[in-house]
Amino acid sequence: MSRLVFILNGPNLNLLGKRQPEIYGRETLEDVERACSEIGTASGVEARLLQSNHEGQIVDWIHQAREEAQGIIINPAALSHTSIAVLDALNTFEGPVIEVHISQIHKREAFRHHSFVSHRADAVMAGFGVHGYALAMQHMVRLVKG
């Protein structure tokens, strides 16, 4: 299996940089992809960034990662708080999983304090802004390169 990391992004993250910049900042998913790819390339690990507003597509990508990837970085966005399907799919993946949240979810509305995905995640990054993706990628490189 190649050294490939899927970076999965859930609903509304296609609007990153445009939606509520006071919470999520002005950087875009393209900026995130560039930063993670640079980190990965320097270490011989490919980063594949994907985004969907549809729960089933996220589940399908997790299933695909079982065959193709050594690790998953996931920002499930609102699916964090609602999706047992995403949790169940992640539980079928044998490699490391790192959950990322741009905002500090524990300082926000009470319903955001719980994440189903955290039950499977090996690490959780929250409140670092989009820099959390780079931190997650740095850690993931260490995990998949052994």
Side-chain angles (χ1 to χ4, degrees):
M1 184 179 294
S2 67
R3 289 190 172 132
L4 173 64
V5 173
F6 276 25
I7 304 172
L8 304 180
N9 293 276
N12 298 310
L13 286 166
N14 56 306
L15 299 176
L16 189 60
K18 301 173 189 167
R19 173 182 171 244
Q20 296 178 284
E22 68 281 3
I23 296 173
Y24 302 109
R26 298 208 180 274
E27 293 177 279
T28 66
L29 271 186
E30 291 79 17
D31 297 324
V32 169
E33 183 173 30
R34 185 171 31 260
C36 290
S37 291
E38 287 174 4
I39 292 164
T41 298
S43 303
V45 176
E46 179 186 351
R48 183 179 301 164
L49 188 139
L50 302 162
Q51 187 279 326
S52 180
N53 293 319
H54 306 282
E55 179 181 41
Q57 180 62 71
I58 302 290
V59 170
D60 288 344
W61 284 331
I62 295 167
H63 293 174
Q64 182 180 345
R66 293 181 69 222
E67 303 298 323
E68 298 178 18
Q70 287 186 298
I72 295 174
I73 296 170
I74 184 167
N75 181 343
L79 295 175
S80 308
H81 322 297
T82 63
S83 183
I84 295 169
V86 170
L87 171 61
D88 286 349
L90 287 168
N91 281 332
T92 72
F93 183 74
E94 295 181 6
V97 173
I98 300 176
E99 181 180 8
V100 172
H101 294 283
I102 296 167
S103 67
Q104 172 35 308
I105 61 173
H106 300 287
K107 288 180 73 174
R108 298 187 62 197
E109 304 93 337
F111 71 87
R112 296 186 193 275
H113 297 180
H114 178 266
S115 169
F116 285 105
V117 171
S118 293
H119 293 278
R120 168 56 182 90
D122 298 295
V124 178
M125 308 296 292
F128 292 94
V130 296
H131 183 60
Y133 285 95
L135 295 170
M137 187 65 184
Q138 289 171 343
H139 187 60
M140 185 63 76
V141 164
R142 292 175 61 119
L143 295 173
V144 300
K145 288 194 77 172

